[in-house]
Amino acid sequence: MRQLRFSALLLALALVHPAAAQTRVAPPTAVESTPLAAPPGTAVPAQNVQPAQPVPAQSQANPPVPAEPQPVQPPPAPQTPVVPQPVQPAPAPQTPIEPQPVQPPPTLPNPQPAPPVQQQQTGAPNPNATLAGKQGDPSDVDEIALVAKPVLLLAGQASWDQGFQKLSEAIALLRAEADKAGLKVAGRPLSLFVETDDNGFKFEAMLPVDRPADAGKPLATGVRNGQSPFGRSLRFVHTAPYDDIDSTYETITAYLEAKSIVVKDAFLEEYVSDLKDPGDPNLEINVYVQPK
């Protein structure tokens, strides 16, 4: 009888909740398998009463251990914003270069005439300038290229004893004539020995000037315009009294013979010092010898 009533109860529940009966697939859980409470006055079958499950002793003996607190992690550093890069355009396809027509050169403006160049004012001629342009060394021989200069010239002759005096008088006369003609002295006085013998010598005294004397202005007797010797020359330096100049000419002769140099017969003396005292130990004279 009790079994029939339980079956009838289940059938009534199925009719009341048909969807629940159709959709339940999984087996009943522990809660669901608990039988419904019987209405009052109804006896519950003994075989369907499930005894209460005892609580495991381990759960009562060992309560759950609370979780340990985890250290607080710092917030992640903000990432650097990415700067957007400009989009590069795609390279244009190369096309063959067509030859371009030659362009005519641009028309330039007409050049303006250059301003006239002002001539530099040259200084006064140097009365102490030498033909070599530099001081000589008594212990050496210089090869010099002489340049012709305008000179006032006076020819004369003298014995060897009167040589120094005659040369000094001739140079003094040339200076006086240059001053009278309005000429400026442009170098040291010279003497060209054109002929020599045992009795004496013939010479041409010269005084370099800035320009030739005017033809319309008369000069002293025997004084005329001329030019100094030019061309390749050897310079020897005499620094001693004029009376000892023969020793310098002996040195010149020995040098020319040792070098096998043939020279012109004329010797040119340039008086770096004034001819005042033939015994002056500091008297300086340049002697020029011109090879043939």
Side-chain angles (χ1 to χ4, degrees):
M1 285 297 289
R2 287 180 297 199
Q3 188 126 2
L4 291 176
R5 289 182 179 181
F6 184 75
S7 298
L9 180 60
L10 292 178
L11 179 61
L13 292 174
L15 292 176
V16 177
H17 303 283
Q22 292 177 2
T23 57
R24 183 170 296 173
V25 177
T29 61
V31 176
E32 294 176 356
S33 61
T34 305
L36 297 175
T42 305
V44 180
Q47 59 184 2
N48 292 332
V49 178
Q50 298 292 333
Q53 297 294 330
V55 179
Q58 182 178 1
S59 298
Q60 297 178 359
N62 298 324
V65 180
E68 295 182 0
Q70 299 295 327
V72 179
Q73 300 294 331
Q79 297 182 354
T80 304
V82 179
V83 179
Q85 299 295 328
V87 179
Q88 299 294 333
Q94 296 183 356
T95 57
I97 300 175
E98 296 182 0
Q100 300 295 327
V102 179
Q103 299 294 331
T107 303
L108 299 177
N110 295 328
Q112 299 296 329
V117 179
Q118 296 181 357
Q119 298 293 334
Q120 295 182 353
Q121 299 295 332
T122 57
N126 184 6
N128 295 319
T130 62
L131 297 179
K134 60 181 180 179
Q135 187 175 6
D137 185 358
S139 62
D140 196 7
V141 180
D142 297 328
E143 184 172 347
I144 304 297
L146 300 180
V147 179
K149 293 183 178 182
V151 297
L152 289 181
L153 185 147
L154 176 63
Q157 62 180 15
S159 64
W160 293 111
D161 294 338
Q162 298 176 340
F164 184 87
Q165 180 180 355
K166 290 291 183 179
L167 293 174
S168 179
E169 292 175 356
I171 292 172
L173 178 61
L174 292 175
R175 289 186 181 276
E177 289 300 309
D179 185 63
K180 185 170 61 175
L183 305 177
K184 295 181 179 179
V185 179
R188 298 304 302 172
L190 309 164
S191 290
L192 180 65
F193 294 82
V194 295
E195 184 179 342
T196 60
D197 56 26
D198 294 341
N199 297 323
F201 57 90
K202 293 181 180 181
F203 65 91
E204 292 179 350
M206 304 178 187
L207 181 66
V209 290
D210 59 341
R211 57 184 174 81
D214 295 337
K217 294 182 179 181
L219 298 173
T221 303
V223 179
R224 56 186 173 89
N225 289 321
Q227 69 175 16
S228 62
F230 61 92
R232 176 171 171 261
S233 301
L234 300 176
R235 178 178 66 170
F236 299 83
V237 181
H238 171 77
T239 305
Y242 191 80
D243 295 339
D244 297 338
I245 198 170
D246 288 345
S247 60
T248 299
Y249 278 99
E250 292 176 357
T251 302
I252 294 173
T253 302
Y255 179 86
L256 297 176
E257 291 179 354
K259 299 292 184 179
S260 301
I261 299 175
V262 180
V263 297
K264 298 178 181 180
D265 293 337
F267 293 84
L268 181 66
E269 290 183 358
E270 182 180 40
Y271 306 108
V272 181
S273 302
D274 293 333
L275 296 180
K276 295 180 178 180
D277 182 7
D280 183 5
N282 297 319
L283 182 65
E284 183 176 352
I285 300 175
N286 290 330
V287 180
Y288 298 95
V289 179
Q290 292 188 294
K292 289 184 177 181

